[in-house]
Amino acid sequence: MCFVAQNTRLADFTKSAGRHYPYRFSRVARSDSPCSSSARFFPLAPLRTGVSEFAFELELCAHLETRREGVLARQLGTSVANPGGRILDVVCVEPGPEFEDRIALSSATIPDAAIEADVGTGRARYWKDAFDCHPERAERALERACDVGFFERERRNGREYVRQVARYPDWYNRLVGIENKPDLGRPGDLEAQLRTDVSLALVDEIILATESYVTRAHLNRIPEEVGVWRVHREESVHADEVAADETTVDGSTLEVEVLREPDQLPVSEPGIEPLEFFPGRTDIAVVDPEAKARQRRRVAERAYGKGWRTFDIPECGSCELDAAGDLTLPRCAWNGRLVDANTECGPSCPGYDPETDSLPTVDLEAERDRRTPWEANPDGKRRQQSGLDQFG
């Protein structure tokens, strides 16, 4: 359901919704307007190292992988009413009580339609009777669920029957979202993004990670529910000032200084999702807890199958492993930094070297398997085909 929140009606609306939502609709303007929120959110703050957002994101993920249990993934959609409307830079999925069962089930994302289908682990069902969605979506989910080992099927009298190989486990717990903005002098739509995360409350915590110096004015303009991390590279932070985690990425020291802890967001309550911004008003949708719970499961499943190593290794002789030697980050020797092969590499680059014989052998899936609990080739729980005739 879509609503239009007028400035003069915001207080009445939040009362009727049953709680106070922190989204400041009256401050939102078109992004191309000279008075847009993105144009006046942060004062200029110089970026100390000139690191790109892409490199910052990869380095932070490599650091978090050594410090947090569970699953890390990059660039995941967290909108409900407007799919694709909000993309979180990093999502950390904390393990639930049956995390080991999920690891053993499949390495890939299980389709949401297959999870919701009326298919159990005992009696096999005719597949068209098991799905409550469009037939084409149901057929795609069926094929994918069979491919990844969540369903197994058999044929009876020309019909296809399916069942789950195992009950879908209660494998994830909290979801932590991280918005990366290394340079606060170029905030983009940061204010609107963070307020959307807080008002929708799809993730349990939301954190802003930056390399810029964070002033009190910055903290006052960021929603108070949002945690703030300052990421330091190469130079140390005094131990008596902060308690910082530390790791080595790309030959430099990486430390995370916690400037403000995030609040727990009300994920089990209704949320407010902004849909479109206009001068003086914002179109919104009220998202019920059931829809949020389904989207949380989709995000967790997508994170499990995707991970954060979704980048390409440049096909260039200047490409080399980072100095740590085991993170397989796409480092360019000519540029002296991490690079995005899809946007920065190729014959048009002055440092391009077509001789690729010296390129390191990189298996990103194997690297994820080696460094995390996730398994690339689990045994799975598919039964022997010869025993399927007993179900029916």
Side-chain angles (χ1 to χ4, degrees):
M1 183 179 296
C2 177
F3 296 86
V4 176
Q6 300 287 348
N7 296 337
T8 57
R9 301 293 297 168
L10 179 57
D12 293 340
F13 171 74
T14 54
K15 285 181 182 179
S16 65
R19 54 166 290 191
H20 173 71
Y21 287 93
Y23 208 94
R24 298 180 183 177
F25 300 102
S26 60
R27 294 185 60 197
V28 178
R30 288 183 184 273
S31 60
D32 57 354
S33 168
C35 61
S36 68
S37 60
S38 62
R40 53 183 167 78
F41 179 44
F42 285 117
L44 288 178
L47 182 61
R48 299 181 308 108
T49 61
V51 65
S52 70
E53 290 196 19
F54 174 78
F56 181 86
E57 190 166 292
L58 295 194
E59 291 178 353
L60 183 59
C61 285
H63 171 83
L64 293 174
E65 187 174 75
T66 67
R67 302 289 174 172
R68 287 180 172 246
E69 295 182 356
V71 174
L72 280 170
R74 300 170 44 239
Q75 301 297 311
L76 296 182
T78 55
S79 299
V80 181
N82 178 29
R86 176 69 176 109
I87 307 295
L88 262 175
D89 290 333
V90 178
V91 174
C92 307
V93 184
E94 297 182 356
E98 299 175 356
F99 186 52
E100 294 296 327
D101 292 336
R102 180 62 185 88
I103 293 174
L105 184 57
S106 173
S107 64
T109 296
I110 298 173
D112 192 66
I115 298 172
E116 292 193 335
D118 188 14
V119 177
T121 58
R123 186 183 183 89
R125 295 201 63 190
Y126 177 47
W127 75 272
K128 289 186 178 180
D129 294 337
F131 289 87
D132 185 19
C133 60
H134 191 280
E136 290 185 2
R137 183 181 178 226
E139 192 166 10
R140 287 195 302 269
L142 166 69
E143 293 298 328
R144 184 59 181 163
C146 291
D147 288 343
V148 303
F150 184 57
F151 280 179
E152 57 185 3
R153 51 187 164 188
E154 59 178 298
R155 294 191 69 83
R156 301 179 194 164
N157 300 322
R159 283 186 159 194
E160 194 165 44
Y161 288 72
V162 295
R163 70 171 185 85
Q164 293 180 5
V165 300
R167 178 183 59 84
Y168 184 74
D170 179 17
W171 69 270
Y172 60 91
N173 191 1
R174 300 190 325 139
L175 308 183
V176 178
I178 302 173
E179 182 65 21
N180 297 320
K181 193 60 63 175
D183 186 356
L184 295 184
R186 295 179 293 174
D189 295 326
L190 183 59
E191 181 178 17
Q193 291 169 339
L194 294 177
R195 294 196 178 280
T196 295
D197 297 331
V198 171
S199 64
L200 179 57
L202 187 87
V203 295
D204 294 85
E205 293 178 357
I206 182 69
I207 296 166
L208 169 65
T210 183
E211 257 200 323
S212 293
Y213 178 75
V214 181
T215 67
R216 189 174 298 277
H218 290 139
L219 294 177
N220 289 338
R221 292 183 177 112
I222 298 169
E224 62 182 10
E225 296 88 348
V226 178
V228 181
W229 291 350
R230 189 182 180 199
V231 178
H232 299 263
R233 300 167 74 245
E234 296 185 336
E235 63 184 45
S236 300
V237 183
H238 294 298
D240 57 348
E241 294 180 1
V242 296
D245 289 336
E246 182 177 324
T247 191
T248 300
V249 179
D250 195 26
S252 62
T253 298
L254 187 73
E255 297 177 345
V256 174
E257 178 185 2
V258 179
L259 301 181
R260 187 168 74 190
E261 294 285 357
D263 288 350
Q264 169 68 43
L265 299 178
V267 295
S268 61
E269 299 179 17
I272 295 291
E273 181 177 340
L275 301 178
E276 194 169 2
F277 303 138
F278 300 97
R281 84 169 199 267
T282 298
D283 293 352
I284 65 170
V286 178
V287 181
D288 61 58
E290 292 75 18
K292 285 171 60 173
R294 288 193 297 271
Q295 183 63 10
R296 281 169 60 84
R297 184 180 65 208
R298 293 188 191 103
V299 169
E301 271 297 323
R302 182 63 175 144
Y304 190 88
K306 183 179 182 182
W308 64 270
R309 291 177 173 86
T310 56
F311 49 84
D312 292 328
I313 301 297
E315 295 183 358
C316 170
S318 296
C319 176
E320 62 181 12
L321 291 179
D322 59 89
D326 61 355
L327 294 177
T328 60
L329 299 182
R331 189 176 190 277
C332 173
W334 185 82
N335 277 300
R337 59 177 174 82
L338 302 183
V339 292
D340 183 352
N342 291 325
T343 60
E344 299 183 77
C345 300
S348 61
C349 173
Y352 177 70
D353 181 0
E355 297 297 328
T356 59
D357 293 340
S358 61
L359 278 178
T361 301
V362 177
D363 187 337
L364 296 177
E365 193 172 79
E367 185 73 5
R368 184 187 183 195
D369 192 336
R370 185 176 70 85
R371 299 179 63 87
T372 72
W374 178 87
E375 294 183 11
N377 298 295
D379 293 336
K381 303 195 179 221
R382 197 190 305 269
R383 300 191 184 186
Q384 292 295 325
Q385 201 70 17
S386 59
L388 285 180
D389 55 359
Q390 63 184 301
F391 298 99

